[in-house]
Amino acid sequence: MIDVFKGIFILSGAIFMLLAALGILRLPDLLTRMHATTKAAALGVILIMLAVALHFAQVGVVARAFAIIVFILMTAPVAAHVLGRAGYFVGSKLWSGTVKDELRPNYDPLTHELKSGMETEANARRQPRETDAP
């Protein structure tokens, strides 16, 4: 019975990694490619590590497999965020079918600074003062 679970985990993990590779080739821009690879590849590695833990069933191997799973869960989203932000900063073109760019009104391309959504809302609601230049 454990062999069936191992086979299912390895096969599904490999399929998710194949989908991640196809996502790199087929998707139109950096952000969608990054999304596909981060989600699918992370899930693929996690499933294969579960199969490894089941196959060896030794405390040391299982602990290492779960440590790898935790590491992937902690680092994949952060890496995706950093890559996406760097791609946006260097001017990577968005796909022509992109409907909305929510980062554009909050991003200053000269200083590479981002305003938080709360700052933008507060500035929009702020009433002009007498000291403000017209």
Side-chain angles (χ1 to χ4, degrees):
M1 187 66 178
I2 290 178
D3 288 337
V4 173
F5 284 120
K6 289 188 298 189
I8 290 170
F9 285 153
I10 289 176
L11 186 61
S12 57
I15 289 171
F16 276 107
M17 288 187 179
L18 176 66
L19 289 174
L22 290 175
I24 291 175
L25 296 174
R26 300 284 302 166
L27 293 173
D29 67 346
L30 172 73
L31 298 177
T32 55
R33 287 179 190 146
M34 181 191 60
H35 178 75
T37 56
T38 303
K39 306 298 183 215
L43 183 58
V45 169
I46 289 169
L47 290 171
I48 289 176
M49 285 296 108
L50 288 174
V52 166
L54 284 176
H55 178 72
F56 289 103
Q58 297 173 354
V59 174
V61 175
V62 172
R64 288 185 189 119
F66 281 113
I68 290 170
I69 290 171
V70 169
F71 180 78
I72 294 292
L73 287 173
M74 288 179 10
T75 58
V78 174
H81 177 78
V82 170
L83 287 172
R85 187 172 173 151
Y88 194 87
F89 285 174
V90 298
S92 178
K93 299 286 182 196
L94 294 178
W95 176 46
S96 61
T98 301
V99 177
K100 187 174 185 179
D101 182 5
E102 292 184 1
L103 195 57
R104 184 174 301 275
N106 299 321
Y107 171 63
D108 183 9
L110 298 175
T111 62
H112 295 296
E113 290 182 2
L114 291 173
K115 297 176 188 170
S116 69
M118 294 179 74
E119 284 180 27
T120 306
E121 289 175 18
N123 287 339
R125 283 183 270 148
R126 186 174 71 92
Q127 298 295 325
R129 298 180 197 155
E130 294 176 15
T131 57
D132 289 343

